[in-house]
Amino acid sequence: MTTRAISIARRLWWPTCAIVALVVLRGCAYALLSGDRVNSRKAATIEAGIQNLRQLRFKQPVPLVVKTPDEAESMMEADLMRDYTDNRIEADAVAGALTGLYPAGLNLKAASLKLLKSQVAGFYDPHGKEMVLVEGGCRYWHLETARLSS
């Protein structure tokens, strides 16, 4: 693996771990959302689980908000574009194709956003300082769990 590919993998490690942790914790609390309302009891359970997982305590309460998949995608795209330019993403796609990480000609930005939109049940928005829960996000967890257990 080239130094550039290792650098890319290292940059993506923490966000990937955070997303996986949120999906797992979200899946464990499948009754967190009822329509567009947050079950505060389940939210407290998840909050405690996150603090135990990270072995850190929250300094202040983190608001939970519910977003549609399209709203969440817009937030994720805005966050991605704060960290990367379109040219940087294209360069990473070319580097990934050269190392065999991605197929040649992949639109890395679109593919990343599509994956996030289809798989993320929730995430922390550091700019809004809130935990965003995606409507219908738990159904992805249940479908994946059913697929893995069969």
Side-chain angles (χ1 to χ4, degrees):
M1 196 181 278
T2 68
T3 304
R4 181 146 172 90
I6 291 170
S7 174
I8 292 168
R10 284 185 181 155
R11 265 187 289 160
L12 296 176
W13 175 249
W14 174 243
T16 302
C17 288
I19 290 169
V20 168
L22 287 173
V23 169
V24 168
L25 290 170
R26 175 77 163 101
C28 294
Y30 63 90
L32 182 60
L33 290 179
S34 177
D36 62 348
R37 291 192 171 163
V38 176
N39 179 329
S40 59
R41 190 179 210 177
K42 291 291 184 179
T45 301
I46 289 176
E47 184 177 309
I50 290 171
Q51 291 180 84
N52 289 336
L53 178 70
R54 296 187 64 224
Q55 297 182 352
L56 295 170
R57 300 285 164 232
F58 290 118
K59 293 180 180 179
Q60 57 191 13
V62 178
L64 289 171
V65 297
V66 180
K67 301 287 185 181
T68 66
D70 291 334
E71 290 170 328
E73 179 183 30
S74 294
M75 292 177 74
M76 289 182 276
E77 181 175 9
D79 191 51
L80 178 69
M81 297 318 294
R82 274 190 276 278
D83 296 332
Y84 298 97
T85 63
D86 284 332
N87 289 339
R88 175 71 185 266
I89 294 171
E90 289 174 24
D92 286 353
V94 170
L98 290 172
T99 61
L101 186 60
Y102 308 124
L106 175 71
N107 180 337
L108 185 57
K109 179 180 174 182
S112 297
L113 290 172
K114 180 180 176 184
L115 177 67
L116 288 171
K117 183 178 178 183
S118 70
Q119 297 296 314
V120 172
F123 58 92
Y124 178 72
D125 175 20
H127 301 285
K129 299 193 182 319
E130 60 191 8
M131 181 66 72
V132 176
L133 304 174
V134 181
E135 285 179 359
C138 67
R139 78 170 174 258
Y140 302 120
W141 170 258
H142 293 297
L143 292 172
E144 186 64 14
T145 302
R147 184 184 70 80
L148 292 173
S149 64
S150 60

